[in-house]
Amino acid sequence: MLSHKKSLNILKKTDALLEGHFVLSSGLHSSKYIQCAKLLSFPYLAKEICNSLAKEIKKNFKKIDLILAPAMGGIIIGYEIGRLLKKETIFCERVEGKFQLRRGFNIKKGAKVLIIEDVITTGKSSLECVKLINKSKAKLVGFASIINRSSKNSLKIKSKIVSHLRIDVPTYKKNEIPAELKNVKITKPGSRFLK
């Protein structure tokens, strides 16, 4: 597996590791944001991270029939991991705020499905994907992401998450933001509330 230090260097080199005051898709505030779209916009640099994650997934999940990725952040990493593992990969997208399968995508009954995202903080998007798996009478095998930045307090997923990189970055509820962060202009980089 690619070292933590080398992985961080790749994130910095691609300007994927941002500093400021961010409101995450979860609604939590943070002084750091990992913009995996920037990482994945450099395929020749992201390749090592994707290969490393694919190896970890293969080691931890013996049988996968389908990869499901939530739009927007999960689409590229879902595609790349699907390519590396030679698995069908689909994505779900929000329609009026709820994830749906569109574009002719479906999940077959009994299929073993892996959910993959770029970054997991609370797991809210992943858990919304689980509803689609359950509705299709398929089986969730687990969760994977490039970055796991969750904390015990924020994580809603109770199952194992296979990630390439674990980054511990504090997150804050709106009423718990530290003074030094309150003075920094807020940026909302996520895609959950795009229209």
Side-chain angles (χ1 to χ4, degrees):
M1 187 153 167
L2 199 59
S3 75
H4 191 270
K5 184 177 179 180
K6 188 161 186 190
S7 298
L8 284 176
N9 285 340
I10 292 171
L11 290 174
K12 288 175 185 169
K13 190 173 186 176
T14 59
D15 291 325
L17 191 54
L18 307 174
E19 294 190 8
H21 181 172
F22 303 97
V23 178
L24 309 174
S25 292
S26 62
L28 296 172
H29 293 246
S30 179
S31 63
K32 290 191 177 25
Y33 185 79
I34 298 106
Q35 181 55 273
C36 283
K38 291 289 288 178
L39 164 69
L40 295 167
S41 71
F42 294 92
Y44 59 95
L45 293 172
K47 177 177 70 173
E48 290 182 76
I49 287 175
C50 293
N51 284 333
S52 183
L53 178 57
K55 285 176 189 169
E56 283 300 304
I57 289 169
K58 205 171 187 177
K59 189 166 65 175
N60 283 275
F61 304 114
K62 301 303 174 203
K63 179 79 170 104
I64 300 168
D65 298 317
L66 180 72
I67 293 172
L68 174 61
M72 284 294 301
I75 293 176
I76 296 173
I77 188 60
Y79 169 85
E80 185 60 12
I81 297 300
R83 185 186 70 76
L84 291 167
L85 298 179
K86 297 178 174 57
K87 299 294 177 188
E88 179 184 4
T89 303
I90 64 174
F91 62 88
C92 55
E93 52 196 307
R94 292 188 192 280
V95 177
E96 296 179 12
K98 294 191 179 201
F99 275 135
Q100 292 182 12
L101 294 175
R102 298 182 61 228
R103 305 168 195 274
F105 291 147
N106 64 56
I107 301 171
K108 293 179 182 130
K109 182 179 178 180
K112 292 177 175 54
V113 184
L114 174 70
I115 295 173
I116 188 160
E117 291 205 62
D118 54 352
V119 179
I120 292 179
T121 302
T122 63
K124 186 175 179 183
S125 295
S126 289
L127 291 175
E128 289 178 58
C129 291
V130 172
K131 293 176 185 175
L132 296 172
I133 295 169
N134 292 339
K135 185 177 174 183
S136 300
K137 294 183 173 51
K139 184 180 181 337
L140 172 68
V141 296
F143 303 93
S145 64
I146 299 172
I147 310 285
N148 181 349
R149 63 167 288 157
S150 65
S151 68
K152 288 180 185 176
N153 297 337
S154 67
L155 187 63
K156 296 175 182 356
I157 294 173
K158 301 304 175 205
S159 309
K160 181 178 182 181
I161 300 169
V162 171
S163 296
H164 169 70
L165 191 60
R166 174 136 186 80
I167 297 179
D168 292 315
V169 179
T171 55
Y172 309 96
K173 292 179 181 171
K174 190 175 183 176
N175 61 342
E176 299 172 348
I177 300 169
E180 65 274 9
L181 199 54
K182 284 181 182 176
N183 298 325
V184 179
K185 185 180 176 206
I186 294 175
T187 304
K188 293 183 180 181
S191 64
R192 179 170 292 158
F193 302 107
L194 291 179
K195 293 188 185 222

